[in-house]
């Protein structure tokens, strides 16, 4: 269903020879700016991607996220930057697009880029919340694994 996203990730790897999210941000020249979670630029979110902020592509991200979750959030925002080039923030915020579909695509991109996988034996007996916590993922992302089997 999302083979085109897999192909995008392979293309990134072929072009830049890395799947490290921080290196990809450098290669693609998207700036990362860490902000206090109360910052108005975050609009109450953990991160916010802006295609044109005074001539720069930038991701504003909370400065209090643990490193593994930060990587997921950055990979998710990178997914928006790469997969959704024709969607403008104004249209996204005004519900002119299918927000759920776009968010699922960005989540899928992040999971595949970071090569996150669930070993069913390792997590046997765990609750969904415990699995999400162990993988540093939002609970909503676990649905992707069920669809991807």
């Amino acid at each position: 269903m999302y083979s085109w996203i897999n192909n995008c990730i392979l293309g990134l790897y072929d072009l830049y020879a890395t799947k490290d999210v921080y290196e990809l941000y450098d290669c693609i020249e998207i700036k990362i700016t860490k902000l206090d979670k109360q910052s108005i630029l975050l609009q109450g979110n953990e991160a916010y991607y802006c295609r044109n902020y005074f001539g720069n592509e930038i991701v504003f991200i909370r400065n209090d996220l643990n490193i593994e979750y930060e990587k997921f959030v950055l990979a998710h925002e990178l997914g928006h930057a790469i997969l959704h080039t024709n969607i403008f923030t104004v249209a996204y915020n005004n519900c002119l697009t299918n927000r759920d579909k776009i968010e699922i695509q960005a989540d899928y991109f992040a999971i595949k880029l970071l090569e996150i996988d669930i070993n069913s034996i390792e997590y046997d007996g765990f609750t969904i919340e415990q699995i999400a916590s162990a993988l540093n993922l939002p609970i909503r992302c676990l649905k992707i694994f069920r669809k991807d089997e």
Side-chain angles (χ1 to χ4, degrees):
M1 182 160 91
Y2 293 124
S3 61
W4 64 278
I5 296 175
N6 296 339
N7 290 337
C8 288
I9 292 168
L10 288 173
L12 283 174
Y13 183 74
D14 287 346
L15 190 58
Y16 300 115
T18 186
K19 288 186 180 180
D20 180 273
V21 70
Y22 298 102
E23 290 178 16
L24 287 170
Y25 269 78
D26 286 342
C27 292
I28 299 171
E29 297 180 358
I30 299 175
K31 296 178 186 227
I32 299 169
T33 299
K34 294 185 179 186
L35 301 171
D36 183 77
K37 68 180 178 180
Q38 303 301 329
S39 174
I40 194 164
L41 291 172
L42 288 172
Q43 302 177 13
N45 298 304
E46 293 168 337
Y48 181 74
Y49 166 69
C50 187
R51 188 167 305 283
N52 187 357
Y53 185 77
F54 295 102
N56 295 298
E57 279 189 84
I58 192 166
V59 168
F60 298 106
I61 187 167
R62 283 179 37 181
N63 62 3
D64 63 346
L65 303 178
N66 78 54
I67 190 70
E68 292 305 314
Y69 188 60
E70 178 181 288
K71 288 179 188 178
F72 171 79
V73 172
L74 287 171
H76 174 97
E77 296 304 323
L78 186 61
H80 285 306
I82 291 171
L83 304 175
H84 307 131
T85 58
N86 60 340
I87 297 173
F88 295 97
T89 303
V90 173
Y92 181 82
N93 289 333
N94 287 327
C95 300
L96 297 176
T97 58
N98 184 339
R99 290 178 72 169
D100 288 341
K101 179 179 175 182
I102 290 168
E103 292 304 316
I104 290 168
Q105 289 172 351
D107 284 342
Y108 181 88
F109 179 93
I111 288 166
K112 292 301 180 177
L113 178 70
L114 298 173
E115 298 176 332
I116 298 170
D117 197 14
I118 294 179
N119 179 333
S120 58
I121 295 171
E122 182 179 347
Y123 295 107
D124 186 40
F126 280 53
T127 66
I128 290 173
E129 291 81 7
Q130 290 170 325
I131 295 170
S133 178
L135 294 171
N136 291 292
L137 295 175
I139 293 171
R140 70 177 188 266
C141 291
L142 298 182
K143 293 177 185 176
I144 291 171
F145 290 102
R146 276 190 267 143
K147 291 178 183 176
D148 199 36
E149 292 176 343

